[in-house]
Amino acid sequence: MTAPAVPAPTPATTGEMPRVRESSGRRNAELALLIFVMLLVLAYSATVEATALDTITGDFWVPVALVAGVFLGLHVVIRFLAPYADPAIVPAVALLNGLGVAFLRRIDLAFADANERADLPIFSGVGGRQLAWTLIAVVLAAGLLIIVRDHRAVSRYAYTLGLVGIILVMIPAVLPSQFSEINGAKLWIRVGGFQIQPGEFAKLALVSFFAYYLVRKREVLSLASRRFLGIDFPRGRDLGPVVAVWLLSLMVLVFEKDLGTALLYFGMFVVILYVATERVSWLIIGLLLFFGGAVLAYVLGASVGGPFANFYQRAEIWMDPFAKPYDDGYQMVQSLLGLGTGGLFGAGPGGGQPNKIPLVVSDFVFAGLGEEIGLFGLSALLVVYLLIAERGLRAGLAVRDSFGKLVAGGLAFTLGLQVFVIVGGVTGLIPLTGQTTPFLSAGGSSLMANWLIIAMLLRISDAAGRPVTGAPGGRAGAAGGGPRHSCMVPRRR
Amino acid sequence: MNAPLRRAGVVVMVLFGLLFANLNWVQAYKADEYRTSPYNARVQVDQYNRPRGVIEVSGKALAENQATDGELKYLRTYPFKSQFAHVIGYKPVNLGSTGIEQAEDEFLAGTSDRLFADRFRDMFTGEETAGGNVVLSLSLPAQDAAIKGLANNPVGSTRGAAVAVDPKTGAIQALVSMPSFDPNPLASHDTEEAQAAYNRLKDDKEGPLRNRALSEVLPPGSTFKVIDSAAALESGYKPETSIPAGSSYLPPTSGTPIRNSSPGICPETQVTLIEALTESCNTGFARLAVELGSDKIKEKAKAFGFEDTDLKVGNLDGGGINVAASRTGDMQNPDGGEDQAALAQSGIGQNNVRMTPLEGAMIAATVANGGERMRPYLVQQLLGPDRRTIGTASPKKINNPITGPVASDLQQMMVSVVERGTGRRAQIDGFTVGGKTGTAQDGDDERDHGWFIGFVLKNGEPISAVCVLLERAGVSGGSSAAAEIGGQIMQAVIRGEATDAQSRRPAGWPLPPRRAHRQRWHGRCLARHRRGARPYRRGEEPAPGPAGGARLRRALPRRSPHDGDNQPSGRRRRV
């Protein structure tokens, strides 16, 4: 917030000193923001205990200190390995992640016996697991920053990543239900008591693959066209990839019974395609295909049922959650009632009864929080999410290579879209689909995958912020030092 | 590529704008609807976080709270168990509430608009606004007499009801339905236990959950003759006017003759109206009804409150327990003409005439009150959490079904019933008692319902009016048993008023010292309980701190009539 995300182009003649000062200024801003948000989380935890327990236990600060420690570690890694990265991203994510851990611990308190509440072990319950996952996920993110020193290196493995992404998406669909289905959506791999959601990791892999593929094909996709109704439409054979991805996401919809994930993959692809080709027609085709598919699924669900029944049911609940308030609509009704009870200011941290909402630790975490922090608190959280997405998009704007632009744009947009899909779902704006709320929902897969996405965004924003000439190893090219184009032509690696 | 990236940024902003707009819709515009939704269990748990108001009579709590360690912090208890069950009802966790608990729910829970000032103040002090207290108009001795009288009836009736009202104000003095039930298990926080208790009561063949005083109607039998008499007096008859009677009467269109309950009753061809009522002459009143016509009878019954489907008894400002409509029923042939056989039967309270015990009491009360029918009520006073008076019942007249002269004629006739006729067992020494008995056939069961409606006057001033019903009260003697119970209830009212007059503490006056102390003590205990500390041990006095003092100061009005220290000491009953 203090340092501009896109620094004025540093002239090639500038010496070492100003650049160092500038990067350290960004890092200091990041550190200050980080400390500030950790204090916020600390205050939140204290309020929760004061309200829910009527007393603040002596070790209430331990979970906050643990996450703060690991965030500070990440900050140090960034300071050395990505000094020009956007300073607002990590504090914003840290705020969400820290609040998520504290809120899940608060849910554990609500479910704990009255006499055990005061001494709930730090790593117990959903909150404790989330704390552990946070530590692992941040270490993973730091690891990605350490291993991937140049985001363009990722494009070397683009096809491998694409294959891995599709496999990750497909695994739950082909697995028998008992290994993959939770709450009607087949999105999981369940082995024993352990479960992961491979689709979360697929996002990063698929975005990298799409970006690479489109950088190579963008001329064909954007030039050869037929004009119809004033809009340039691509040739039939060039529609191949988009149709393929559309089919893939429809398969997700049908076999994994999850509209949200389908919407996410498809939206992600269409937006990357649009950014790569700058052709509005792709957006129109994409939207038509998606809504056509959704309407078709609804109609099929109403008439045929089978694999479409789940989507039809969710659409029905969305249209009138209070029609069956105790069975089908129960989750939605409780979510809306929780949000409504919170009202403008909320019941205060620890003052509400978020445990009345089913699945409050995963899908409905936003509604659970909303009961206690109210409209004002939730609006603030939305702004934080928006900040992360817009900062990611900004990194895409500022970075000089097309691959980086597409990856950053795709990841940031997907993050924003995911927040829209799940928050819109739990607040009744769109039919509810089982997505995780990034950084807030309980779940290691989601946390790790989203932290990897953040690491990738940090890496790209570092490349974007890095002065043109001073970069070691000829990073980010453009050695000419002339006036920089705002839109770079793709380069051969 | 930057232009589309920027547009993608705009799309994200638009999506978030939609989220924000929708959140405003859910959390601001619809917030109240969702907060108070019946599907919202949060509000309910919230209600149990603060003490619900007390329902009380003459300083005795009929419904109060007990602090618990569970998720719901206060348990509702009913110390009098079954004695007031049909008046106060019950407030269960998972089932619907009933009675005053339901009718005054908002006030008792502390969410009523009338308690806005308290809530506003507590917003700043950070305390939970406790519920307001409801003082009922009941008379403890009268209620007790009604319960005992019904339970010990000599005719073996297991079901029945009794109602007593103050004729001048409409204040209910006693309201009993037999058999009754203990509401405590229904208020249990163990919802399965509560449900099981409810199911047991619901499946009980005697129907203890039914409020026979207010929501059940039965044929009123001869008590309905008071309505016939009122209609006749209004049409110009006098108590001494002779009406045709006889030992048997065959209405023009019917095959079954109407007879008197014993051959000794009005065998003469002509009796006076007062004599007919005193002896409860069936043939006379059947003929009288046919003579007057169904319109007049129906109109008079309606003026007395029959056919009223909207009556609630509770708070005069609105809200209360629903009262079933009493009915005169159909008295017409299919072609629209008057069915004289039905009319003759209706005239003696049979056929399709149905009445609630409350309506019976109101008929007697109207006669005793010079023809003014007052709106019945139960809630005498509403007190804030700090026992500040928030509302006091101001009696309301409904209408004048009969004029003053007619009312005094009717009084004279009903007094004759108790002094010389069928209601002799309701007599009270030193008081003027009037009434009318009734024996109603209902279905094929040979056991009739016994009724008594009556009133008691002192120097012409009405004190109480009662209605007693004994269902299936044996083959004979049901109505005189009812009259005896009615007399006992009215006697208890007189007794209660006598002790009350000595000890009445006007509302809003400060609490007697011991009670103030108890309230302060309770407040500290509660505060300690909220802090999670162990309760005080016996003999462990909390240190007198500013908090306790402040609490006490707030609990008492700043200035009170007692400040002058001039009230007679020792006469006030501790309440």
Side-chain angles (χ1 to χ4, degrees):
Chain A
M1 279 173 232
T2 48
V6 187
T10 315
T13 51
T14 314
E16 282 290 298
M17 284 308 291
R19 201 188 70 213
V20 169
R21 199 184 304 133
E22 190 192 9
S23 72
S24 68
R26 285 186 168 204
R27 299 280 65 83
N28 291 344
E30 183 178 83
L31 182 62
L33 284 173
L34 205 49
I35 290 170
F36 173 67
V37 300
M38 283 301 108
L39 287 178
L40 274 184
V41 176
L42 193 69
Y44 176 85
S45 304
T47 318
V48 163
E49 293 211 341
T51 316
L53 303 179
D54 281 347
T55 170
I56 298 178
T57 56
D59 49 3
F60 82 98
W61 52 273
V62 177
V64 185
L66 282 172
V67 292
V70 76
F71 292 152
L72 285 177
L74 180 67
H75 166 76
V76 171
V77 171
I78 294 169
R79 201 173 260 269
F80 285 104
L81 296 179
Y84 296 94
D86 191 314
I89 294 179
V90 169
V93 176
L95 174 61
L96 295 170
N97 198 160
L99 270 184
V101 171
F103 178 72
L104 294 177
R105 190 172 163 78
R106 180 255 173 283
I107 297 288
D108 290 337
L109 282 183
F111 282 117
D113 278 351
N115 46 2
E116 289 171 7
R117 282 183 181 174
D119 37 27
L120 203 64
I122 288 157
F123 283 103
S124 74
V126 185
R129 271 203 302 279
Q130 183 80 346
L131 176 59
W133 281 123
T134 303
L135 304 183
I136 295 169
V138 175
V139 169
L140 265 184
L144 189 133
L145 280 174
I146 293 168
I147 294 165
V148 181
R149 297 296 180 88
D150 182 348
H151 63 272
R152 288 172 303 178
V154 174
S155 64
R156 264 178 244 145
Y157 309 100
Y159 283 102
T160 317
L161 285 173
L163 188 65
V164 168
I166 289 176
I167 289 172
L168 286 176
V169 173
M170 300 293 283
I171 290 172
V174 296
L175 275 180
S177 286
Q178 79 245 38
F179 294 118
S180 63
E181 187 165 317
I182 293 178
N183 297 324
K186 286 181 69 172
L187 289 172
W188 308 78
I189 303 174
R190 297 200 303 170
V191 183
F194 191 76
Q195 58 205 33
I196 64 168
Q197 218 177 339
E200 294 279 351
F201 295 98
K203 275 184 289 191
L204 186 57
L206 285 177
V207 165
S208 304
F209 166 68
F210 290 158
Y212 176 73
Y213 176 83
L214 291 170
V215 167
R216 308 242 353 227
K217 293 279 182 183
R218 57 187 289 245
E219 283 93 350
V220 177
L221 290 171
S222 56
L223 293 178
S225 65
R226 272 177 304 201
R227 206 170 167 78
F228 179 67
L229 290 173
I231 301 167
D232 291 322
F233 282 92
R235 294 179 305 183
R237 64 164 176 250
D238 296 327
L239 278 171
V242 69
V243 170
V245 175
W246 178 65
L247 284 176
L248 181 73
S249 49
L250 263 190
M251 272 167 56
V252 169
L253 180 66
V254 172
F255 293 108
E256 305 188 357
K257 303 177 190 169
D258 193 72
L259 175 75
T261 310
L263 173 62
L264 213 57
Y265 291 151
F266 193 65
M268 180 170 87
F269 179 73
V270 167
V271 164
I272 297 177
L273 191 61
Y274 166 64
V275 172
T277 60
E278 308 196 17
R279 294 276 293 274
V280 183
S281 54
W282 285 116
L283 279 187
I284 294 169
I285 292 170
L287 285 176
L288 284 180
L289 280 175
F290 185 80
F291 284 110
V295 169
L296 190 70
Y298 178 77
V299 173
L300 282 176
S303 54
V304 183
F308 302 100
N310 184 284
F311 174 62
Y312 172 74
Q313 183 196 19
R314 288 184 180 225
E316 288 285 303
I317 295 170
W318 169 62
M319 282 186 262
D320 186 6
F322 287 87
K324 293 178 180 170
Y326 288 119
D327 34 55
D328 281 1
Y330 186 71
Q331 297 180 351
M332 256 330 280
V333 164
Q334 290 304 320
S335 170
L336 289 175
L337 297 183
L339 287 166
T341 307
L344 293 186
F345 301 100
Q353 296 150 31
N355 45 328
K356 294 258 182 272
I357 305 173
L359 297 178
V360 71
V361 298
S362 51
D363 294 14
F364 287 93
V365 70
F366 203 75
L369 266 168
E371 187 187 341
E372 301 200 324
I373 64 178
L375 175 63
F376 285 83
L378 286 190
S379 303
L381 286 190
L382 281 183
V383 170
V384 172
Y385 275 119
L386 187 62
L387 180 79
I388 299 170
E390 296 292 338
R391 286 291 172 138
L393 286 167
R394 243 178 188 200
L397 282 173
V399 80
R400 299 169 192 91
D401 67 296
S402 303
F403 176 71
K405 278 181 190 301
L406 291 184
V407 171
L411 290 178
F413 182 83
T414 310
L415 190 76
L417 188 62
Q418 183 170 349
V419 173
F420 175 76
V421 167
I422 182 62
V423 174
V426 299
T427 57
L429 182 63
I430 57 172
L432 175 72
T433 60
Q435 284 296 308
T436 57
T437 315
F439 306 111
L440 286 177
S441 292
S445 310
S446 160
L447 208 50
M448 288 193 285
N450 283 313
W451 266 109
L452 287 176
I453 288 173
I454 292 301
M456 197 67 190
L457 286 177
L458 285 170
R459 175 51 73 211
I460 295 171
S461 78
D462 175 56
R466 194 172 287 276
V468 182
T469 49
R475 193 167 292 186
R484 279 176 26 191
H485 302 284
S486 63
C487 175
M488 303 297 289
V489 289
R491 308 169 56 83
R492 280 185 53 216
R493 281 183 292 117
Chain B
M1 274 189 210
N2 279 6
L5 263 181
R6 287 208 178 84
R7 273 181 221 128
V10 173
V11 169
V12 173
M13 283 214 208
V14 169
L15 291 181
F16 274 68
L18 288 174
L19 287 182
F20 178 67
N22 186 56
L23 264 185
N24 273 283
W25 171 257
V26 172
Q27 292 202 279
Y29 184 78
K30 300 274 267 185
D32 276 343
E33 184 187 324
Y34 288 153
R35 195 175 293 128
T36 55
S37 161
Y39 307 118
N40 197 342
R42 287 171 195 77
V43 181
Q44 191 187 32
V45 171
D46 192 43
Q47 266 191 11
Y48 283 91
N49 276 340
R50 49 181 186 257
R52 189 175 166 83
V54 169
I55 302 177
E56 56 186 64
V57 166
S58 318
K60 292 235 174 13
L62 311 185
E64 56 188 5
N65 311 292
Q66 189 185 326
T68 69
D69 293 332
E71 186 192 14
L72 307 179
K73 291 189 184 148
Y74 290 96
L75 175 70
R76 194 69 164 161
T77 59
Y78 304 96
F80 286 82
K81 298 204 165 80
S82 64
Q83 290 191 41
F84 295 89
H86 290 102
V87 180
I88 50 183
Y90 47 87
K91 164 82 183 171
V93 177
N94 53 330
L95 312 160
S97 49
T98 63
I100 292 295
E101 288 274 37
Q102 180 198 31
E104 292 296 328
D105 184 52
E106 283 201 338
F107 191 80
L108 290 164
T111 53
S112 160
D113 289 341
R114 288 160 158 265
L115 294 172
F116 177 77
D118 297 76
R119 277 205 306 280
F120 189 71
R121 187 197 60 213
D122 291 347
M123 244 168 66
F124 295 102
T125 61
E127 281 185 27
E128 287 271 15
T129 308
N133 306 305
V134 174
V135 181
L136 299 185
S137 59
L138 295 177
S139 150
L140 288 175
Q143 183 83 3
D144 204 41
I147 292 166
K148 290 207 172 101
L150 285 175
N152 302 330
N153 74 78
V155 288
S157 172
T158 54
R159 288 163 296 172
V163 180
V165 299
D166 182 340
K168 290 193 297 267
T169 61
I172 306 272
Q173 296 161 325
L175 196 155
V176 175
S177 173
M178 176 179 77
S180 188
F181 61 95
D182 181 0
N184 285 302
L186 298 173
S188 165
H189 288 181
D190 180 340
T191 52
E192 279 174 27
E193 198 180 289
Q195 184 72 52
Y198 178 78
N199 289 345
R200 262 198 311 280
L201 291 170
K202 197 173 58 119
D203 297 340
D204 190 328
K205 279 199 284 294
E206 292 287 310
L209 290 176
R210 283 149 74 177
N211 191 335
R212 297 190 153 78
L214 301 181
S215 45
E216 303 273 310
V217 289
L218 288 172
S222 301
T223 56
F224 195 73
K225 289 172 186 166
V226 176
I227 303 281
D228 301 332
S229 305
L233 292 168
E234 289 271 294
S235 316
Y237 285 66
K238 291 284 162 214
E240 291 74 29
T241 308
S242 285
I243 57 168
S247 56
S248 170
Y249 167 58
L250 187 66
T253 56
S254 132
T256 44
I258 289 174
R259 298 179 197 282
N260 296 312
S261 61
S262 78
I265 297 169
C266 60
E268 311 90 337
T269 49
Q270 296 273 323
V271 291
T272 57
L273 189 58
I274 185 168
E275 204 53 40
L277 192 74
T278 306
E279 292 183 80
S280 199
C281 170
N282 285 346
T283 51
F285 276 99
R287 284 170 187 270
L288 179 66
V290 173
E291 176 71 27
L292 290 169
S294 65
D295 287 348
K296 275 191 179 155
I297 303 283
K298 274 177 169 287
E299 186 200 328
K300 196 46 63 189
K302 198 170 176 209
F304 270 101
F306 276 67
E307 321 294 343
D308 183 354
T309 52
D310 299 328
L311 186 67
K312 285 174 191 288
V313 45
N315 191 328
L316 283 177
D317 296 334
I321 310 168
N322 283 322
V323 180
S326 300
R327 302 284 186 187
T328 45
D330 203 9
M331 304 179 203
Q332 287 186 329
N333 285 321
D335 62 7
E338 202 165 74
D339 179 350
Q340 296 194 334
L343 176 56
Q345 287 286 348
S346 302
I348 57 171
Q350 296 289 157
N351 195 30
N352 292 321
V353 184
R354 297 290 183 273
M355 184 173 85
T356 61
L358 177 70
E359 173 61 28
M362 282 174 70
I363 293 170
T366 307
V367 173
N369 197 35
E372 279 196 359
R373 188 162 68 107
M374 305 301 291
R375 183 169 292 284
Y377 67 89
L378 272 163
V379 177
Q380 185 68 44
Q381 221 174 20
L382 297 177
L383 303 179
D386 51 4
R387 305 198 62 79
R388 178 172 51 88
T389 304
I390 287 180
T392 303
S394 55
K396 288 193 172 82
K397 187 179 90 173
I398 303 176
N399 65 347
N400 283 58
I402 44 176
T403 61
V406 168
S408 62
D409 284 349
L410 211 43
Q411 275 179 22
Q412 181 201 339
M413 289 165 64
M414 288 172 75
V415 167
S416 158
V417 171
V418 172
E419 285 181 352
R420 304 183 290 111
T422 54
R424 274 187 287 249
R425 294 184 44 193
Q427 288 170 5
I428 302 171
D429 276 352
F431 292 84
T432 315
V433 178
K436 180 72 195 84
T437 54
T439 303
Q441 297 173 356
D442 189 7
D444 292 330
D445 197 319
E446 62 170 6
R447 295 171 301 166
D448 300 330
H449 304 314
W451 287 87
F452 176 74
I453 66 173
F455 55 80
V456 58
L457 311 173
K458 174 85 177 174
N459 304 328
E461 281 292 304
I463 298 170
S464 179
V466 295
C467 174
V468 176
L469 161 68
L470 290 170
E471 275 184 44
R472 302 293 174 209
V475 184
S476 71
S479 62
S480 53
E484 184 168 354
I485 298 167
Q488 288 163 355
I489 297 171
M490 291 190 288
Q491 224 166 356
V493 171
I494 295 164
R495 218 170 43 235
E497 292 208 338
T499 46
D500 243 26
Q502 290 179 346
S503 61
R504 190 173 292 271
R505 180 171 63 87
W509 285 25
L511 299 166
R514 292 190 66 153
R515 186 173 169 84
H517 171 78
R518 215 159 62 206
Q519 214 169 57
R520 181 180 59 210
W521 174 263
H522 182 62
R524 279 194 197 152
C525 279
L526 275 184
R528 198 174 163 94
H529 177 75
R530 287 203 194 98
R531 284 199 304 273
R534 70 176 161 73
Y536 291 125
R537 296 218 176 86
R538 190 177 289 275
E540 183 188 15
E541 184 78 20
R551 202 186 300 277
L552 177 62
R553 272 197 299 285
R554 220 181 46 226
L556 299 176
R558 276 284 151 76
R559 278 178 189 285
S560 68
H562 288 347
D563 278 354
D565 202 21
N566 54 359
Q567 93 270 19
S569 58
R571 297 298 300 275
R572 281 178 294 125
R573 196 171 47 168
R574 257 177 50 219
V575 287

